[in-house]
Amino acid sequence: MHKTLATPRLGLLGDSFIYAGPNIQADVCRHSVTLACALSQQPLSIHAAGRCWQGHLLVIRPFLKRTVDTGSAPVALIDLEPSHPRYNTFSCQAPEASVTALDAARFAGLLACVQGFAQQRLSGPQLRAAVCLHVADVADSIGPEVPVSSPVLQMMAAVRMDPASDLGMLSRRVGLPARRASQLFVSALGLTVRQYALAEKIRRAAMFLGSSRPLTDIAQLCGFADSAHLAKVWQRCYGMCPSTFFGGRLAPHNGNLDLAWRQQVSLAGSLANRWESGAAD
């Protein structure tokens, strides 16, 4: 856990993102569940809601506005998207459970996993399998797995196909009144249909950002009103505008960012498996 990490890495795992970099100083508010992992002996510091949490492994709930400062120390972040099968384990906790400091010794396997990713020893299917295993272990320590109902899975799949789908359209699809459909969705995932749709747009944008496509084209492809809207949302989620995040110190074309097996995994298989499981219940 002591090697200096000079080159940031970004892995897009379908229902989660993994990032490893030299340091992070940012004010952010994300829709994702974040597992923040220190890659050195120096603990992380998270400031939110007038409090400060420190530790080598911190779990941060969605929509918590916080300041992250790792100083000069390297860090790895695993962001679980709302489509992740264990997202609701974290998002539906009591409001006071905003940040949870976990025992680094208990979850040494997760820290070893992100170290392997940061040092380019772990990638591809092995990375996805390892992240999946260790995230499930962390989730089990937080709370039991709560299956998502078939109507909610159907709405999630519909939004993934078309993020512009509104609540009326989705409720008709599952044969429920709009208010009831909304209640089911929020109860299952801890966020609204609108928030879920925005998260899907961000996930789509991440698949294109860092490529040669203009930001205006990416915004249009992913359902944002325009490039300014995309930039504003990205800034809120990641602490910097897309052009800085991908075009500056993280630009793949100049060798400063290793986009680990980019775009090889999609949400399709995960959602299909969850839908089949829900339909069988």
Side-chain angles (χ1 to χ4, degrees):
M1 295 177 62
H2 315 290
K3 184 177 178 180
T4 299
L5 178 60
T7 303
R9 295 194 85 201
L10 176 65
L12 310 183
L13 311 185
D15 53 14
S16 61
F17 292 32
I18 181 170
Y19 166 83
N23 55 72
I24 290 181
Q25 291 86 35
D27 295 311
V28 297
C29 184
R30 297 182 183 170
H31 59 276
S32 55
V33 173
T34 299
L35 278 62
C37 309
L39 296 178
S40 72
Q41 295 286 10
Q42 181 177 327
L44 306 171
S45 294
I46 304 292
H47 298 266
R51 291 188 57 187
C52 177
W53 289 266
Q54 287 190 321
H56 286 85
L57 180 54
L58 301 173
V59 179
I60 308 166
R61 69 174 299 142
F63 302 109
L64 177 69
K65 187 174 182 180
R66 70 267 194 180
T67 300
V68 182
D69 187 354
T70 66
S72 60
V75 63
L77 304 176
I78 300 175
D79 284 339
L80 309 183
E81 293 295 291
S83 54
H84 191 281
R86 297 306 300 270
Y87 179 88
N88 62 350
T89 301
F90 304 94
S91 66
C92 294
Q93 291 186 87
E96 60 271 17
S98 50
V99 178
T100 303
L102 299 179
D103 183 355
R106 164 71 174 80
F107 298 103
L110 175 61
L111 294 174
C113 171
V114 296
Q115 276 286 341
F117 170 73
Q119 297 172 5
Q120 302 186 19
R121 294 183 285 102
L122 190 60
S123 62
Q126 292 78 20
L127 172 64
R128 177 178 168 82
V131 169
C132 182
L133 175 68
H134 293 299
V135 166
D137 192 21
V138 171
D140 287 342
S141 75
I142 298 294
E145 182 172 4
V146 179
V148 177
S149 67
S150 295
V152 175
L153 287 173
Q154 290 182 65
M155 288 188 281
M156 291 169 65
V159 171
R160 181 180 176 274
M161 295 298 295
D162 180 11
S165 301
D166 59 23
L167 182 59
M169 183 187 305
L170 296 173
S171 63
R172 289 191 295 272
R173 184 185 183 95
V174 297
L176 293 171
R179 184 175 180 179
R180 178 56 179 160
S182 177
Q183 290 172 337
L184 281 177
F185 200 95
V186 173
S187 177
L189 297 180
L191 78 172
T192 66
V193 168
R194 184 175 181 180
Q195 290 170 329
Y196 183 85
L198 184 58
E200 174 59 25
K201 292 176 184 178
I202 296 170
R203 188 194 69 83
R204 288 188 177 196
M207 306 302 284
F208 291 105
L209 288 167
S211 68
S212 59
R213 288 181 179 269
L215 192 62
T216 300
D217 291 352
I218 296 173
Q220 184 177 13
L221 284 168
C222 299
F224 288 94
D226 50 34
S227 59
H229 183 207
L230 168 56
K232 180 180 179 180
V233 172
W234 194 274
Q235 173 85 33
R236 186 181 72 229
C237 289
Y238 298 102
M240 63 187 77
C241 65
S243 59
T244 302
F245 191 87
F246 285 97
R249 66 185 180 90
L250 299 184
H253 59 269
N254 63 15
N256 288 341
L257 173 66
D258 179 4
L259 289 168
W261 59 295
R262 183 187 182 96
Q263 289 185 287
Q264 287 192 14
V265 178
S266 73
L267 288 173
S270 175
L271 284 176
N273 290 337
R274 292 175 68 191
W275 160 241
E276 288 172 2
S277 297
D281 292 339

PDB file of all heavy atoms in Angstrom, residues 51 53 59-62 64 89-101 142:
ATOM      1  N   ARG A  51     -19.454  17.306   9.816  1.00  0.00           N
ATOM      2  CA  ARG A  51     -18.652  16.270  10.470  1.00  0.00           C
ATOM      3  C   ARG A  51     -17.466  15.885   9.608  1.00  0.00           C
ATOM      4  O   ARG A  51     -17.424  16.183   8.412  1.00  0.00           O
ATOM      5  CB  ARG A  51     -19.495  15.018  10.743  1.00  0.00           C
ATOM      6  CG  ARG A  51     -20.574  15.181  11.799  1.00  0.00           C
ATOM      7  CD  ARG A  51     -21.200  13.830  12.107  1.00  0.00           C
ATOM      8  NE  ARG A  51     -20.208  12.851  12.552  1.00  0.00           N
ATOM      9  CZ  ARG A  51     -20.462  11.561  12.764  1.00  0.00           C
ATOM     10  NH1 ARG A  51     -21.697  11.104  12.561  1.00  0.00           N
ATOM     11  NH2 ARG A  51     -19.523  10.736  13.150  1.00  0.00           N
ATOM     12  N   TRP A  53     -15.059  12.414   8.777  1.00  0.00           N
ATOM     13  CA  TRP A  53     -14.784  10.992   8.951  1.00  0.00           C
ATOM     14  C   TRP A  53     -13.398  10.683   8.398  1.00  0.00           C
ATOM     15  O   TRP A  53     -13.008  11.226   7.350  1.00  0.00           O
ATOM     16  CB  TRP A  53     -15.805  10.146   8.190  1.00  0.00           C
ATOM     17  CG  TRP A  53     -17.179  10.131   8.764  1.00  0.00           C
ATOM     18  CD1 TRP A  53     -17.719   9.227   9.631  1.00  0.00           C
ATOM     19  CD2 TRP A  53     -18.225  11.074   8.496  1.00  0.00           C
ATOM     20  NE1 TRP A  53     -19.020   9.535   9.909  1.00  0.00           N
ATOM     21  CE2 TRP A  53     -19.369  10.669   9.233  1.00  0.00           C
ATOM     22  CE3 TRP A  53     -18.322  12.222   7.700  1.00  0.00           C
ATOM     23  CZ2 TRP A  53     -20.568  11.362   9.198  1.00  0.00           C
ATOM     24  CZ3 TRP A  53     -19.509  12.918   7.667  1.00  0.00           C
ATOM     25  CH2 TRP A  53     -20.623  12.493   8.403  1.00  0.00           C
ATOM     26  N   VAL A  59     -17.406   4.164   3.343  1.00  0.00           N
ATOM     27  CA  VAL A  59     -18.559   3.991   2.463  1.00  0.00           C
ATOM     28  C   VAL A  59     -19.414   5.247   2.564  1.00  0.00           C
ATOM     29  O   VAL A  59     -19.807   5.645   3.664  1.00  0.00           O
ATOM     30  CB  VAL A  59     -19.388   2.753   2.855  1.00  0.00           C
ATOM     31  CG1 VAL A  59     -20.593   2.608   1.926  1.00  0.00           C
ATOM     32  CG2 VAL A  59     -18.532   1.496   2.818  1.00  0.00           C
ATOM     33  N   ILE A  60     -19.696   5.870   1.423  1.00  0.00           N
ATOM     34  CA  ILE A  60     -20.413   7.145   1.392  1.00  0.00           C
ATOM     35  C   ILE A  60     -21.746   6.942   0.695  1.00  0.00           C
ATOM     36  O   ILE A  60     -21.795   6.440  -0.443  1.00  0.00           O
ATOM     37  CB  ILE A  60     -19.590   8.207   0.656  1.00  0.00           C
ATOM     38  CG1 ILE A  60     -18.166   8.272   1.238  1.00  0.00           C
ATOM     39  CG2 ILE A  60     -20.263   9.573   0.746  1.00  0.00           C
ATOM     40  CD1 ILE A  60     -17.195   9.042   0.388  1.00  0.00           C
ATOM     41  N   ARG A  61     -22.833   7.332   1.335  1.00  0.00           N
ATOM     42  CA  ARG A  61     -24.156   7.114   0.770  1.00  0.00           C
ATOM     43  C   ARG A  61     -24.417   8.090  -0.378  1.00  0.00           C
ATOM     44  O   ARG A  61     -23.752   9.126  -0.482  1.00  0.00           O
ATOM     45  CB  ARG A  61     -25.235   7.248   1.845  1.00  0.00           C
ATOM     46  CG  ARG A  61     -25.450   8.629   2.371  1.00  0.00           C
ATOM     47  CD  ARG A  61     -26.644   8.673   3.314  1.00  0.00           C
ATOM     48  NE  ARG A  61     -27.871   8.292   2.645  1.00  0.00           N
ATOM     49  CZ  ARG A  61     -28.834   7.562   3.194  1.00  0.00           C
ATOM     50  NH1 ARG A  61     -28.720   7.122   4.424  1.00  0.00           N
ATOM     51  NH2 ARG A  61     -29.923   7.268   2.532  1.00  0.00           N
ATOM     52  N   PRO A  62     -25.384   7.801  -1.241  1.00  0.00           N
ATOM     53  CA  PRO A  62     -25.685   8.678  -2.376  1.00  0.00           C
ATOM     54  C   PRO A  62     -26.214  10.050  -1.941  1.00  0.00           C
ATOM     55  O   PRO A  62     -26.774  10.195  -0.863  1.00  0.00           O
ATOM     56  CB  PRO A  62     -26.770   7.910  -3.139  1.00  0.00           C
ATOM     57  CG  PRO A  62     -26.691   6.516  -2.651  1.00  0.00           C
ATOM     58  CD  PRO A  62     -26.202   6.589  -1.245  1.00  0.00           C
ATOM     59  N   LEU A  64     -24.947  12.712  -0.923  1.00  0.00           N
ATOM     60  CA  LEU A  64     -24.357  13.402   0.213  1.00  0.00           C
ATOM     61  C   LEU A  64     -23.325  14.401  -0.314  1.00  0.00           C
ATOM     62  O   LEU A  64     -22.322  14.017  -0.906  1.00  0.00           O
ATOM     63  CB  LEU A  64     -23.670  12.399   1.162  1.00  0.00           C
ATOM     64  CG  LEU A  64     -22.956  13.031   2.365  1.00  0.00           C
ATOM     65  CD1 LEU A  64     -23.978  13.623   3.333  1.00  0.00           C
ATOM     66  CD2 LEU A  64     -22.088  11.992   3.079  1.00  0.00           C
ATOM     67  N   THR A  89     -28.846  -1.597  -0.688  1.00  0.00           N
ATOM     68  CA  THR A  89     -28.349  -1.938   0.644  1.00  0.00           C
ATOM     69  C   THR A  89     -27.785  -0.692   1.325  1.00  0.00           C
ATOM     70  O   THR A  89     -27.941  -0.501   2.534  1.00  0.00           O
ATOM     71  CB  THR A  89     -27.257  -3.016   0.559  1.00  0.00           C
ATOM     72  OG1 THR A  89     -27.792  -4.190  -0.059  1.00  0.00           O
ATOM     73  CG2 THR A  89     -26.732  -3.372   1.946  1.00  0.00           C
ATOM     74  N   PHE A  90     -27.131   0.151   0.526  1.00  0.00           N
ATOM     75  CA  PHE A  90     -26.518   1.368   1.054  1.00  0.00           C
ATOM     76  C   PHE A  90     -27.465   2.566   0.991  1.00  0.00           C
ATOM     77  O   PHE A  90     -27.534   3.352   1.929  1.00  0.00           O
ATOM     78  CB  PHE A  90     -25.248   1.694   0.258  1.00  0.00           C
ATOM     79  CG  PHE A  90     -24.236   0.589   0.228  1.00  0.00           C
ATOM     80  CD1 PHE A  90     -24.210  -0.331  -0.810  1.00  0.00           C
ATOM     81  CD2 PHE A  90     -23.294   0.463   1.239  1.00  0.00           C
ATOM     82  CE1 PHE A  90     -23.263  -1.353  -0.847  1.00  0.00           C
ATOM     83  CE2 PHE A  90     -22.353  -0.561   1.222  1.00  0.00           C
ATOM     84  CZ  PHE A  90     -22.337  -1.474   0.166  1.00  0.00           C
ATOM     85  N   SER A  91     -28.200   2.702  -0.104  1.00  0.00           N
ATOM     86  CA  SER A  91     -29.012   3.910  -0.319  1.00  0.00           C
ATOM     87  C   SER A  91     -30.230   3.976   0.585  1.00  0.00           C
ATOM     88  O   SER A  91     -30.745   5.064   0.849  1.00  0.00           O
ATOM     89  CB  SER A  91     -29.463   3.995  -1.783  1.00  0.00           C
ATOM     90  OG  SER A  91     -30.350   2.935  -2.106  1.00  0.00           O
ATOM     91  N   CYS A  92     -30.704   2.825   1.054  1.00  0.00           N
ATOM     92  CA  CYS A  92     -31.911   2.807   1.882  1.00  0.00           C
ATOM     93  C   CYS A  92     -31.614   2.728   3.373  1.00  0.00           C
ATOM     94  O   CYS A  92     -32.490   2.403   4.184  1.00  0.00           O
ATOM     95  CB  CYS A  92     -32.813   1.641   1.464  1.00  0.00           C
ATOM     96  SG  CYS A  92     -33.499   1.809  -0.200  1.00  0.00           S
ATOM     97  N   GLN A  93     -30.373   3.038   3.762  1.00  0.00           N
ATOM     98  CA  GLN A  93     -30.040   3.094   5.180  1.00  0.00           C
ATOM     99  C   GLN A  93     -30.682   4.308   5.832  1.00  0.00           C
ATOM    100  O   GLN A  93     -31.162   5.215   5.161  1.00  0.00           O
ATOM    101  CB  GLN A  93     -28.523   3.202   5.362  1.00  0.00           C
ATOM    102  CG  GLN A  93     -27.737   1.965   4.990  1.00  0.00           C
ATOM    103  CD  GLN A  93     -26.278   2.156   5.362  1.00  0.00           C
ATOM    104  OE1 GLN A  93     -25.882   1.879   6.484  1.00  0.00           O
ATOM    105  NE2 GLN A  93     -25.498   2.661   4.431  1.00  0.00           N
ATOM    106  N   ALA A  94     -30.668   4.328   7.145  1.00  0.00           N
ATOM    107  CA  ALA A  94     -31.171   5.488   7.884  1.00  0.00           C
ATOM    108  C   ALA A  94     -30.373   6.725   7.493  1.00  0.00           C
ATOM    109  O   ALA A  94     -29.169   6.632   7.208  1.00  0.00           O
ATOM    110  CB  ALA A  94     -31.043   5.235   9.382  1.00  0.00           C
ATOM    111  N   PRO A  95     -31.010   7.897   7.461  1.00  0.00           N
ATOM    112  CA  PRO A  95     -30.335   9.127   7.030  1.00  0.00           C
ATOM    113  C   PRO A  95     -29.047   9.442   7.782  1.00  0.00           C
ATOM    114  O   PRO A  95     -28.125  10.021   7.216  1.00  0.00           O
ATOM    115  CB  PRO A  95     -31.398  10.208   7.284  1.00  0.00           C
ATOM    116  CG  PRO A  95     -32.697   9.485   7.227  1.00  0.00           C
ATOM    117  CD  PRO A  95     -32.426   8.124   7.792  1.00  0.00           C
ATOM    118  N   GLU A  96     -28.994   9.060   9.061  1.00  0.00           N
ATOM    119  CA  GLU A  96     -27.788   9.380   9.831  1.00  0.00           C
ATOM    120  C   GLU A  96     -26.574   8.542   9.405  1.00  0.00           C
ATOM    121  O   GLU A  96     -25.433   8.873   9.746  1.00  0.00           O
ATOM    122  CB  GLU A  96     -28.028   9.195  11.331  1.00  0.00           C
ATOM    123  CG  GLU A  96     -28.418   7.793  11.767  1.00  0.00           C
ATOM    124  CD  GLU A  96     -29.918   7.566  11.740  1.00  0.00           C
ATOM    125  OE1 GLU A  96     -30.638   8.357  11.092  1.00  0.00           O
ATOM    126  OE2 GLU A  96     -30.365   6.582  12.361  1.00  0.00           O
ATOM    127  N   ALA A  97     -26.808   7.458   8.664  1.00  0.00           N
ATOM    128  CA  ALA A  97     -25.708   6.612   8.212  1.00  0.00           C
ATOM    129  C   ALA A  97     -25.136   7.168   6.910  1.00  0.00           C
ATOM    130  O   ALA A  97     -25.151   6.516   5.877  1.00  0.00           O
ATOM    131  CB  ALA A  97     -26.196   5.177   8.017  1.00  0.00           C
ATOM    132  N   SER A  98     -24.627   8.387   6.971  1.00  0.00           N
ATOM    133  CA  SER A  98     -24.155   9.062   5.759  1.00  0.00           C
ATOM    134  C   SER A  98     -22.787   8.561   5.313  1.00  0.00           C
ATOM    135  O   SER A  98     -22.540   8.376   4.125  1.00  0.00           O
ATOM    136  CB  SER A  98     -24.125  10.576   5.976  1.00  0.00           C
ATOM    137  OG  SER A  98     -23.454  10.885   7.178  1.00  0.00           O
ATOM    138  N   VAL A  99     -21.895   8.372   6.265  1.00  0.00           N
ATOM    139  CA  VAL A  99     -20.568   7.823   5.976  1.00  0.00           C
ATOM    140  C   VAL A  99     -20.294   6.725   6.995  1.00  0.00           C
ATOM    141  O   VAL A  99     -20.529   6.902   8.195  1.00  0.00           O
ATOM    142  CB  VAL A  99     -19.465   8.895   6.054  1.00  0.00           C
ATOM    143  CG1 VAL A  99     -18.096   8.277   5.792  1.00  0.00           C
ATOM    144  CG2 VAL A  99     -19.731  10.023   5.058  1.00  0.00           C
ATOM    145  N   THR A 100     -19.796   5.597   6.506  1.00  0.00           N
ATOM    146  CA  THR A 100     -19.472   4.481   7.392  1.00  0.00           C
ATOM    147  C   THR A 100     -18.005   4.134   7.242  1.00  0.00           C
ATOM    148  O   THR A 100     -17.530   3.874   6.136  1.00  0.00           O
ATOM    149  CB  THR A 100     -20.317   3.235   7.053  1.00  0.00           C
ATOM    150  OG1 THR A 100     -21.705   3.562   7.128  1.00  0.00           O
ATOM    151  CG2 THR A 100     -20.015   2.091   8.011  1.00  0.00           C
ATOM    152  N   ALA A 101     -17.267   4.171   8.352  1.00  0.00           N
ATOM    153  CA  ALA A 101     -15.858   3.770   8.346  1.00  0.00           C
ATOM    154  C   ALA A 101     -15.777   2.276   8.637  1.00  0.00           C
ATOM    155  O   ALA A 101     -16.305   1.804   9.646  1.00  0.00           O
ATOM    156  CB  ALA A 101     -15.081   4.570   9.392  1.00  0.00           C
ATOM    157  N   ILE A 142     -23.190  -4.351   5.872  1.00  0.00           N
ATOM    158  CA  ILE A 142     -24.052  -3.190   6.094  1.00  0.00           C
ATOM    159  C   ILE A 142     -25.494  -3.626   6.346  1.00  0.00           C
ATOM    160  O   ILE A 142     -26.187  -3.109   7.233  1.00  0.00           O
ATOM    161  CB  ILE A 142     -24.009  -2.245   4.884  1.00  0.00           C
ATOM    162  CG1 ILE A 142     -22.590  -1.718   4.667  1.00  0.00           C
ATOM    163  CG2 ILE A 142     -25.003  -1.100   5.036  1.00  0.00           C
ATOM    164  CD1 ILE A 142     -22.060  -0.831   5.750  1.00  0.00           C
TER     165      ILE A 142
END
